[in-house]
């Protein structure tokens, strides 16, 4: 059962989206909200949220609601799909950890493809909740939620940390040791300047490590044994899933 919520202030849009969900080959429970406030106040757990950006101007908009949801949970659940009539919000949507961004009027074929991928992600999160975790960082007075699975490695540079992502980079003020303590066993400190996502390790020697994407990072001789143990533990844990 996929617990699905629709948050949109237009009744017809909610009805249209509910019909699209019901047309998919998955068992779904659907709940509707006419405002961000009613969605946030409802304590029920949901797997997937279809969310408009420009909700009733008198209350919280969709971006603010998504940010509040991400603050409430330590992982990237529920999966959020923005459904809006405006392209200009697309980058803001991914800053709050959105899974996808659909434009109104919604194309039925594209909705089916996106919904199927969202269900795959929900099922993966149920099997391994660790995959859904995220970290929220502050930069220039704003916050950004970054899924851990999108981080290849983190670099310390001039009182900042640089997150090297699957697509692009993101910098913020902070200390790499604080992130090391927060991110847990999926990440390993291999050098005073590098914290590596073990899922992206392509190969290593006693002096260096290669991550997916081709970058080569130095391994400290003082960190090597701990890294090998952490990497083997990570591989064994993954094989057991």
């Amino acid at each position: 059962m996929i617990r699905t919520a629709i948050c949109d202030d237009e009744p017809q849009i909610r009805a249209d989206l509910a019909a699209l969900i019901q047309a998919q080959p998955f068992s779904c429970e659907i709940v509707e909200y006419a405002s961000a406030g009613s969605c946030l106040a409802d304590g029920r757990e949901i797997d997937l949220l279809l969310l408009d950006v420009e909700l009733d101007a008198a209350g919280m908009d969709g971006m603010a609601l998504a940010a509040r949801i991400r603050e409430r949970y330590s992982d990237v659940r529920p999966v959020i799909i923005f459904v809006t009539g405006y392209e200009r919000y697309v980058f803001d949507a991914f800053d709050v950890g959105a899974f996808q961004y659909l434009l109104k009027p919604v194309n039925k074929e594209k909705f089916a493809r996106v919904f199927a991928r969202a269900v795959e992600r929900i099922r993966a999160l149920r099997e391994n909740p660790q995959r859904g975790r995220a970290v929220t960082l502050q930069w220039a007075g704003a916050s950004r939620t970054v899924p851990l699975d999108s981080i290849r490695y983190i670099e310390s540079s001039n009182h900042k940390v640089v997150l090297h992502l699957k697509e692009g980079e993101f910098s913020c003020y902070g200390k790499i040791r604080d992130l090391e303590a927060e991110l847990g066993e999926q990440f390993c400190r291999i050098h005073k300047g590098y914290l590596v996502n073990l899922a992206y390790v392509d190969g290593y020697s006693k002096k260096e490590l290669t991550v997916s994407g081709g970058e080569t990072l130095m391994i400290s001789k003082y960190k090597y044994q701990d890294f090998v143990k952490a990497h083997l533990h990570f591989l064994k844990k993954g094989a057991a899933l």
Side-chain angles (χ1 to χ4, degrees):
M1 177 69 70
I2 305 300
R3 297 163 297 190
T4 306
I6 302 168
C7 186
D8 196 297
D9 57 354
E10 297 184 38
Q12 187 58 53
I13 296 295
R14 296 198 303 271
D16 291 344
L17 290 174
L20 284 172
I21 294 168
Q22 291 166 350
Q24 306 311 308
F26 307 102
S27 178
C28 296
E29 175 185 299
I30 304 172
V31 60
E32 298 181 18
Y33 303 104
S35 69
S38 61
C39 180
L40 199 60
D42 192 342
R44 79 182 74 193
E45 292 187 3
I46 55 176
D47 300 308
L48 175 62
L49 174 61
L50 302 180
L51 177 60
D52 189 16
V53 176
E54 293 198 340
L55 297 169
D56 185 352
M60 187 186 305
D61 67 14
M63 289 297 171
L65 172 59
R68 291 283 295 276
I69 289 172
R70 292 301 178 235
E71 290 170 3
R72 175 181 288 183
Y73 300 101
S74 61
D75 54 23
V76 188
R77 286 179 292 179
V79 171
I80 296 176
I81 298 175
F82 277 101
V83 184
T84 180
Y86 304 94
E87 289 189 37
R88 64 178 179 271
Y89 297 114
V90 62
F91 295 109
D92 294 332
F94 292 113
D95 280 348
V96 292
F99 176 77
Q100 188 56 268
Y101 190 97
L102 295 174
L103 288 175
K104 300 174 182 177
V106 178
N107 177 276
K108 292 182 180 180
E109 288 74 20
K110 184 169 185 179
F111 182 89
R113 292 194 299 271
V114 170
F115 196 88
R117 289 197 295 110
V119 170
E120 288 179 6
R121 179 165 180 80
I122 290 163
R123 288 173 174 170
L125 291 174
R126 288 177 177 175
E127 293 173 3
N128 182 13
Q130 181 76 8
R131 293 179 182 173
R133 291 186 58 224
V135 60
T136 299
L137 302 165
Q138 303 295 323
W139 177 249
S143 63
R144 175 170 178 175
T145 299
V146 181
L148 299 195
D149 281 351
S150 71
I151 305 171
R152 297 184 299 120
Y153 68 96
I154 300 171
E155 180 181 5
S156 177
S157 176
N158 297 323
H159 306 292
K160 295 190 297 183
V161 288
V162 182
L163 279 68
H164 295 265
L165 310 176
K166 286 192 293 187
E167 297 181 0
E169 299 177 357
F170 174 69
S171 300
C172 65
Y173 289 109
K175 297 179 180 178
I176 198 169
R177 67 170 178 265
D178 294 335
L179 285 175
E180 181 182 9
E182 180 179 356
L183 298 184
E185 61 183 15
Q186 184 176 340
F187 288 76
C188 182
R189 188 82 170 269
I190 63 167
H191 186 274
K192 66 180 181 180
Y194 297 118
L195 182 62
V196 174
N197 186 339
L198 295 169
Y200 287 92
V201 174
D202 273 354
Y204 63 89
S205 66
K206 286 190 174 182
K207 293 185 178 180
E208 61 186 27
L209 175 150
T210 304
V211 295
S212 301
E215 292 101 319
T216 299
L217 312 176
M218 290 188 296
I219 300 180
S220 165
K221 64 180 180 179
Y222 304 107
K223 301 285 187 182
Y224 177 74
Q225 292 297 334
D226 288 340
F227 161 71
V228 172
K229 291 178 183 177
H231 188 240
L232 288 174
H233 176 73
F234 178 81
L235 294 177
K236 288 179 180 178
K237 185 175 180 180
L241 293 176

